[in-house]
Amino acid sequence: MPLPEPSSVLPAQIAQNLARVRSRVDDAARAAGRAPSDVRLLVATKTQPADAVRAVVEAGADLIGENRVQELVAKAPDLADLVAAGRVEVHMIGHLQRNKVNQVLATATGVESVDSLALAEALAARCARDGRVLDVLVQVNVSGEESKSGVRPDDAPALATAVVALEGLRLRGFMTIGANAPDETVVRAGFARLREVRDAVAGSGAPGTGDARELSMGMSGDLELAVAEGATIVRVGTAVFGPRPTPR
């Protein structure tokens, strides 16, 4: 995959945008009667060049997410010092094929897009060989839209239970992409459904499920609805970086 051109957005503008988005998340948390510290901001870096990603970390972002394996691998050398110093966590948030697991685990500190037992088993096998434990989220398709990845809500508890039984993985919660619908009631209902799944699994008493408290949901257009329904991670990209650059 061709790499994007160096960013045309100045680091100072990226920092201002990041602060603006963080303020928006904080306001949403307060409006929902929650502490702002309960909601982490994941900066989605899809199509962004390494210099822009470095700038956002320098501005204070401590969690970034990549959608594409090729981009994750290509940017890794330029960001390795930040990851090694513990300044930023890197999550895989896009669809992941089993044959790309080794590439992802060379850099990623977490995977939010576990949507099948086969993928979970592939991740676990590599982690067990490496003697590491990987934080993962089960991706759930709450909208039922065919364009979105993830298991059905009714199938999510079974997958979650299977994941916690795998050596090398630690189930931290669930992820979804909100419904592509103009009706906020529909979008919010999807987020509420994910919260219900999380609560059922985390409260089941099954071994290994007690730490599955994360809800990664909400993006630029619907983060307030997600926070109102309990999001602990929101994923925002263009509001921080501006329009996505065109790859070379």
Side-chain angles (χ1 to χ4, degrees):
M1 173 181 291
L3 290 177
E5 297 282 357
S7 178
S8 61
V9 184
L10 295 176
Q13 185 62 57
I14 289 175
Q16 290 175 9
N17 292 347
L18 179 67
R20 191 176 296 113
V21 173
R22 183 66 248 185
S23 178
R24 186 178 161 197
V25 173
D26 292 352
D27 288 346
R30 294 189 188 97
R34 304 176 60 196
S37 59
D38 289 344
V39 187
R40 295 188 73 185
L41 173 59
L42 178 152
V43 180
T45 54
K46 179 180 177 180
T47 75
Q48 297 299 328
D51 66 315
V53 180
R54 178 172 286 275
V56 83
V57 175
E58 296 289 353
D62 61 4
L63 178 60
I64 62 175
E66 280 288 352
N67 290 74
R68 298 169 176 166
V69 176
Q70 298 95 321
E71 285 195 52
L72 178 67
V73 172
K75 297 172 196 175
D78 293 312
L79 305 175
D81 60 316
L82 298 174
V83 176
R87 295 185 58 188
V88 67
E89 297 177 49
V90 181
H91 285 189
M92 182 66 191
I93 60 175
H95 181 66
L96 177 58
Q97 297 175 320
R98 282 176 287 167
N99 62 353
K100 300 292 181 63
V101 161
N102 290 350
Q103 294 173 276
V104 166
L105 292 185
T107 300
T109 57
V111 175
E112 298 194 8
S113 48
V114 174
D115 59 2
S116 71
L117 179 57
L119 174 58
E121 289 174 338
L123 289 166
R126 176 56 191 263
C127 288
R129 287 199 300 270
D130 292 347
R132 66 181 285 193
V133 176
L134 179 73
D135 288 340
V136 300
L137 279 67
V138 167
Q139 183 172 0
V140 183
N141 185 347
V142 296
S143 70
E145 296 167 21
E146 293 184 2
S147 60
K148 292 182 172 64
S149 299
V151 297
R152 296 188 309 118
D154 289 346
D155 295 332
L159 178 56
T161 300
V163 168
V164 298
L166 295 172
E167 179 184 357
L169 301 186
R170 177 167 50 217
L171 179 68
R172 298 306 305 272
F174 300 85
M175 183 268 267
T176 197
I177 300 171
N180 182 18
D183 187 345
E184 290 187 353
T185 303
V186 173
V187 178
R188 184 162 179 169
F191 294 145
R193 183 72 179 96
L194 190 70
R195 174 172 45 78
E196 292 167 358
V197 169
R198 188 274 313 270
D199 290 348
V201 172
S204 68
T209 60
D211 290 335
R213 306 301 309 178
E214 301 286 2
L215 288 175
S216 178
M217 58 189 194
M219 296 185 286
S220 295
D222 55 20
L223 70 84
E224 284 84 2
L225 300 177
V227 171
E229 290 298 339
T232 63
I233 301 172
V234 295
R235 308 182 305 273
V236 179
T238 54
V240 174
F241 296 111
R244 291 192 178 110
T246 303
R248 290 195 296 261

